Amino acid sequence: MVLHRGRGEEARVRALLAAVGLFTVIPVRPFDVDRRAASRAMAALPVLGLLLGLAAGAVAGLLGWLTSPLLGAVVGLALLAWLTGALHLDGVADTADGLGSRKPADEALAIMRRSDIGPMGVVVLVFVLGLDVASLASLPTPALVVAALAGAVMVSRLAVTVATVSRSSARVSGFGALFVGVTSTATAVVNALVAALVVVALGWLGAGWRGAVALSAASLVAGIVARLWGGRLVRRLGGWTGDTFGSLIEVTQAAFLLSAAVATGALF
C-alpha cells in the first residue's frame, strides 16, 4: 500500500515536471519529449496553471495594494508572460494572422508558421492583454485579484487538457501534433471536476460567498467560450496546432477575467 502510494506520488511529480519543462521557462531535468511525456504534461497542465496563476496573482494583488490596481495587473500579467516564455501570446497572435488572412486552411496554416507577426496579430495582442489588465484592475480587493488570476490561468489550461481529447490535428508533425489525442475522457472529466471545486474555493477565500459565485460564473462562461472558440478553430483549420492551443488559452483566460469583473461588479 505504501509502495503503491509512493509510485502514485512519483508519477504525479513527473507529470508536473513534464508540464513545467514543456510550458514554462523554468529549467527542469532533461527528459524525452514524446507522446507519453505529452500525456503526463496535459494531465498536470491545470495544476501548473493554478501554481502560475497564484504566483502572478500574488504579485498583482500585493503591488496593487501597495501602489495601484492598474500597475499591479500589468506587472502580474508580465510575470505570467515571462514564466511561460510568452508562448501562448505568440500562439494567439499567429492564429489571428492566419484567420485574419481569410485564406484557405492550408494557406492560413502557412501564414501562422511564419516567425513574424502581422497587423492582425498585433491588434489581437493589444486587445487581449488590455482586456486582461482592465478586468484585473477593476476587481474590488487584492485577495480577489489573486483568486481571479489563479482561477483564470488554471481554467484556461484546463481548456487545452480537454481539447487534447480530440484527435483532430491540422498538421502531421510539430509541437501541437504531439499533444493531439493524448488525453483520455476520464482524465479530462476528473480535471474539470477538481478545477470546478478549486474555483469555488478560490472565490470563497478571496471574497466569501460573493467571490465564490462570481468566479463560478466566470468559470462557466469561460468554458462555453472555450468550447465555441475551439470548435471554430477546428472547423476553420481542420484541426489543432500549437498556435491554436495557445490562442485557446489566451481567449479562455480573457473570457474568465472579463466575466469575473462583470460578476463582481454586479455582486459587490
Side-chain angles (χ1 to χ4, degrees):
M1 186 71 174
V2 174
L3 180 62
H4 177 73
R5 187 186 306 119
R7 287 177 177 174
E9 291 172 355
E10 182 182 351
R12 286 190 288 272
V13 170
R14 286 201 305 268
L16 183 58
L17 288 177
V20 170
L22 289 168
F23 300 111
T24 76
V25 297
I26 302 170
V28 299
R29 180 182 298 179
F31 57 91
D32 292 331
V33 181
D34 53 18
R35 296 277 290 180
R36 186 178 182 184
S39 179
R40 289 173 176 169
M42 274 298 137
L45 189 56
V47 176
L48 175 61
L50 176 62
L51 297 175
L52 292 173
L54 285 171
V59 170
L62 178 60
L63 194 58
W65 177 66
L66 292 173
T67 58
S68 73
L70 179 59
L71 182 59
V74 170
V75 175
L77 290 167
L79 174 62
L80 180 61
W82 174 71
L83 288 172
T84 58
L87 179 66
H88 314 308
L89 290 170
D90 178 69
V92 76
D94 287 343
T95 301
D97 284 335
L99 296 180
S101 70
R102 300 185 182 181
K103 300 286 187 180
D106 57 341
E107 294 182 52
L109 289 169
I111 291 171
M112 291 164 59
R113 188 174 293 170
R114 296 173 186 168
S115 59
D116 59 340
I117 179 173
M120 187 66 72
V122 172
V123 169
V124 168
L125 272 181
V126 169
F127 278 104
V128 166
L129 289 172
L131 187 60
D132 287 351
V133 168
S135 298
L136 275 178
S138 70
L139 295 175
T141 66
L144 200 51
V145 168
V146 178
L149 190 51
V153 180
M154 178 184 63
V155 169
S156 65
R157 273 64 179 176
L158 172 65
V160 174
T161 299
V162 173
T164 54
V165 173
S166 167
R167 297 184 180 275
S168 299
S169 179
R171 298 190 179 108
V172 296
S173 62
F175 189 69
L178 178 67
F179 297 94
V180 172
V182 300
T183 303
S184 68
T185 301
T187 297
V189 170
V190 169
N191 269 284
L193 292 175
V194 172
L197 294 175
V198 172
V199 165
V200 173
L202 286 169
W204 186 272
L205 291 172
W209 71 267
R210 290 183 179 86
V213 171
L215 294 197
S216 296
S219 180
L220 178 61
V221 172
I224 294 172
V225 169
R227 180 74 175 177
L228 294 175
W229 182 242
R232 164 65 176 162
L233 291 173
V234 170
R235 288 192 301 271
R236 175 69 174 80
L237 300 172
W240 292 101
T241 72
D243 286 330
T244 57
F245 283 139
S247 77
L248 180 64
I249 284 175
E250 293 298 334
V251 168
T252 304
Q253 181 176 298
F256 187 105
L257 292 175
L258 174 60
S259 302
V262 172
T264 53
L267 291 169
F268 285 79

